[in-house]
Amino acid sequence: MAESTESPAVMNGSSASVGPDYCEIIVVRHGETPWNVQGKIQGHLDVELNEVGREQAVSVAERLAKEFKISVIYSSDLKRALETAQTIANRCGGLKVIEDPELRERHLGDLQGLVFREAAKVCPIAYQAFLSRKTDQDIPGGGESLDQLYRRCTSALQRIARKHIGERIVVVTHGGVIRTLCQRACPNKKREGKVLNTSINIFRLTEKNKWVLKTWGDVSHLNQTGFLKSGFGGDSTSG
């Protein structure tokens, strides 16, 4: 079951306590990496943040520390997400970061490590598999289908939520995962464009598997940093 009542930005009073019947999950995309700037496909490859990404992580961390009362942080175990999560944890009073490989980006098989605009020539079969509208189409080289990604990351978020009913937590993950979580919450509404680095996306999940999307794609914390224009060079699928 999915419902949605959205806001383009976090509402005033966001530090208010969470209701006893749901978990509020602030899902954040990791900061920028060199491969995002170069348009290279990351997938499961373990790329670190660049300096812009580290500044973005500080910006989102300072905002979360100021506006929210957070109990714990979960993160993909890939470096770009984990460093973002650790920055948030430090700014929020030294919170614990729990690594969860189920929060990794989609495995993109033979496309990983390629520049996106060159992928069609270098690996045409894998590229066509990636473009396929068939949700059960996996990608050569060990890549996941959209169905596999959906099952993995939605199950992970629901599992995490059930452990923290009545709490507000943070999950740091990747662009493809966030888009998939949005699809779960809002199955009848497709969103175009990129999932931006360090964007804030707020979900509420109940024990009975009800999902509500409260906030989508909020990057207002970057408006003062000077990184907004330079920070989103990678294709949204590169994670």
Side-chain angles (χ1 to χ4, degrees):
M1 182 177 183
E3 295 184 6
S4 173
T5 55
E6 299 171 55
S7 164
V10 176
M11 298 176 289
N12 291 333
S14 56
S15 61
S17 61
V18 175
D21 58 342
Y22 64 88
C23 174
E24 184 166 281
I25 307 180
I26 303 170
V27 180
V28 178
R29 188 187 175 203
H30 62 79
E32 183 186 279
T33 72
W35 284 23
N36 287 151
V37 177
Q38 298 164 27
K40 294 178 74 173
I41 299 171
Q42 296 176 131
H44 278 204
L45 299 184
D46 208 4
V47 184
E48 297 183 353
L49 300 180
N50 62 15
E51 288 307 309
V52 170
R54 293 187 177 99
E55 293 289 346
Q56 292 172 339
V58 169
S59 294
V60 72
E62 290 178 345
R63 180 179 180 190
L64 294 176
K66 180 180 179 181
E67 296 187 9
F68 296 94
K69 182 175 176 58
I70 298 162
S71 59
V72 69
I73 299 172
Y74 284 78
S75 176
S76 158
D77 62 342
L78 297 176
K79 292 175 183 176
R80 56 194 184 273
L82 191 56
E83 183 177 352
T84 305
Q86 289 170 337
T87 301
I88 296 169
N90 292 339
R91 288 298 197 280
C92 292
L95 291 175
K96 182 178 182 181
V97 176
I98 300 172
E99 298 179 41
D100 190 336
E102 296 298 296
L103 297 171
R104 285 186 177 193
E105 181 58 287
R106 181 184 180 187
H107 195 304
L108 291 166
D110 289 338
L111 298 178
Q112 295 183 158
L114 300 181
V115 176
F116 185 76
R117 64 179 177 271
E118 299 172 358
K121 292 183 179 179
V122 177
C123 284
I125 295 176
Y127 184 76
Q128 288 303 314
F130 171 74
L131 294 182
S132 174
R133 294 180 178 273
K134 296 179 180 179
T135 58
D136 62 349
Q137 174 66 61
D138 57 19
I139 298 174
E144 291 176 288
S145 69
L146 290 172
D147 286 343
Q148 289 170 325
L149 173 65
Y150 184 95
R151 287 191 296 269
R152 170 167 64 82
C153 65
T154 59
S155 296
L157 202 69
Q158 190 69 56
R159 167 175 50 80
I160 291 168
R162 287 184 179 132
K163 294 179 180 179
H164 298 284
I165 297 297
E167 300 177 46
R168 178 182 291 112
I169 68 172
V170 168
V171 165
V172 182
T173 184
H174 306 266
V177 171
I178 294 172
R179 188 173 299 283
T180 302
L181 298 176
C182 178
Q183 179 187 355
R184 170 63 180 82
C186 306
N188 298 318
K189 189 172 183 179
K190 184 178 180 181
R191 282 169 178 75
E192 304 295 341
K194 298 174 181 177
V195 178
L196 304 181
N197 291 105
T198 70
S199 60
I200 289 174
N201 311 274
I202 302 179
F203 297 80
R204 289 181 176 177
L205 278 66
T206 72
E207 281 188 294
K208 296 182 179 180
N209 217 20
K210 175 182 174 183
W211 291 48
V212 177
L213 177 63
K214 299 295 293 183
T215 299
W216 172 254
D218 183 355
V219 289
S220 58
H221 49 279
L222 298 183
N223 288 345
Q224 304 298 321
T225 68
F227 300 123
L228 188 59
K229 292 182 180 179
S230 66
F232 313 124
D235 184 83
S236 65
T237 63
S238 67

